[in-house]
Amino acid sequence: MSGIDIAVFPVGGMGTRFLPATKAMPKEMLPVVDRPLLQYAVDEAIEAGISQFVLVTARGKGSMVDYFDQAGELVAILKAKGKAAELAVLESTQLPPGAICTVRQQEPAGLGHAIWCARHIVGRRPFAIILPDDLVQAKVGCLKQMVDAWGRVGGNMIAAERVPEHRTKSYGIITPGRQDGALTEVLGLVEKPKPEDAPSNLAVIGRYILQPEVMDILSEEKRGAGGEIQLTDAMAQLIGVQPFHAVAFEGVRHDCGDKAGHVIANIAYALAREDVGPAVRAYLKTL
Ligand code: G1P
């Protein structure tokens, strides 16, 4: 089975939870320590073997596209000043020519709709999806763990973790079947159920490997929870037709779509760094 070479990044959301910061900048450009959330997502994709990156953007979010340009003037200044460390940082964000492309989602019609907007670029091949809000801190990147598992079982795959029962209404929730190591068979999927209706507390987090047939289902444009076209509903229709597994990934997931989650992610990533870690640790100890 060959690998996955393309990943879709749905980054068209308005980021209302981070106003006023997101009034003039995309939420995906919010930093964790010093790298934007989107950069972490792209780094994770590269580690997993992805060579094509599709950003599904929206009005007012063009700075994300500029971010991936070569910063010629900046590079020249840094070179002239002999700033090798800063040059290396910039170098670490450089993608090969033509590796990144964008498509616009003209209306906020849901995650399923965002993914469907990328259908012509994805074509008829399995593809990955990364939601940059879900930042996974791990020794081996979450998507790499999934691609490795997918190499064994194929089909469709989602990353999953247990959430507190009262939180099921914020997630896609899985009806779990047979478990084999880190893999659990997916028998059902429901978007954002109330705790009393939830089939389990096993939640979908923002990493997917999907077969192209999901695009055919999304093209029916059926509305689901919140009146939006839900990816979860389209995926649910593939269950029983194609293999479908959830992966219990190794690592810590930070919900950076949430203010507290974003602050915690900053602390966790800062503590893991040699440059800023000691100062942050010393401060935390004083609290
Ligand atoms: C989306 C999906 C949901 C998933 C979640 C993971 O919801 O619709 O199924 O569990 O991402 O973060 P959102 O967070 O966009 O409301």
Side-chain angles (χ1 to χ4, degrees):
M1 203 174 297
S2 60
I4 306 288
D5 63 356
I6 187 164
V8 179
F9 302 79
V11 289
M14 288 194 291
T16 46
R17 276 195 279 180
F18 278 91
L19 284 170
T22 48
K23 196 175 155 196
M25 84 189 269
K27 66 171 175 174
E28 295 79 8
M29 295 306 292
L30 290 172
V32 167
V33 186
D34 51 9
R35 288 173 95 73
L37 281 171
L38 182 57
Q39 182 68 57
Y40 286 96
V42 165
D43 289 344
E44 187 182 320
I46 293 169
E47 185 191 346
I50 301 295
S51 57
Q52 274 184 274
F53 307 82
V54 185
L55 304 184
V56 184
T57 67
R59 177 175 288 267
K61 302 196 77 175
S63 64
M64 272 185 297
V65 187
D66 295 343
Y67 172 84
F68 288 100
D69 282 350
Q70 282 195 25
E73 208 175 321
L74 190 55
V75 168
I77 294 167
L78 292 175
K79 272 192 184 149
K81 293 192 169 178
K83 300 234 175 212
E86 288 80 356
L87 279 166
V89 168
L90 278 190
E91 184 70 25
S92 76
T93 66
Q94 199 60 57
L95 289 171
I100 200 151
C101 69
T102 64
V103 61
R104 295 276 279 225
Q105 185 185 17
Q106 288 104 333
E107 48 166 338
L111 177 60
H113 181 258
I115 300 305
W116 182 68
C117 287
R119 67 197 178 283
H120 297 305
I121 304 167
V122 169
R124 305 308 297 180
R125 56 181 153 169
F127 64 104
I129 301 170
I130 296 186
L131 311 190
D133 276 1
D134 278 330
L135 180 57
V136 182
Q137 194 174 17
K139 271 204 204 86
V140 176
C142 182
L143 189 62
K144 165 94 173 92
Q145 296 178 41
M146 291 172 71
V147 167
D148 289 346
W150 183 85
R152 296 194 298 276
V153 294
N156 301 277
M157 193 164 273
I158 46 187
E161 75 173 9
R162 301 265 169 204
V163 296
E165 255 135 53
H166 69 275
R167 299 275 294 134
T168 58
K169 56 184 181 306
S170 300
Y171 296 95
I173 300 291
I174 298 163
T175 307
R178 211 168 48 86
Q179 198 183 329
D180 180 9
L183 291 182
T184 299
E185 219 181 324
V186 176
L187 299 182
L189 282 168
V190 53
E191 181 69 5
K192 302 196 168 92
K194 292 191 207 123
E196 57 270 32
D197 301 328
S200 75
N201 68 339
L202 191 59
V204 178
I205 77 131
R207 303 288 182 278
Y208 310 76
I209 296 175
L210 298 177
Q211 297 296 322
E213 285 75 17
V214 77
M215 295 293 196
D216 305 332
I217 300 168
L218 287 169
S219 70
E220 293 165 17
E221 298 187 63
K222 280 193 195 134
R223 304 268 165 170
E228 296 187 334
I229 300 169
Q230 296 293 352
L231 181 62
T232 302
D233 297 343
M235 293 192 302
Q237 289 193 48
L238 292 174
I239 298 167
V241 182
Q242 297 175 341
F244 214 123
H245 293 92
V247 182
F249 57 94
E250 280 176 29
V252 179
R253 172 223 170 210
H254 301 286
D255 178 5
C256 291
D258 172 75
K259 280 178 260 216
H262 183 246
V263 173
I264 292 166
N266 268 284
I267 294 170
Y269 274 75
L271 288 176
R273 293 242 315 227
E274 280 173 19
D275 54 352
V276 292
V280 174
R281 183 168 291 105
Y283 171 69
L284 292 175
K285 278 189 182 153
T286 67
L287 298 181

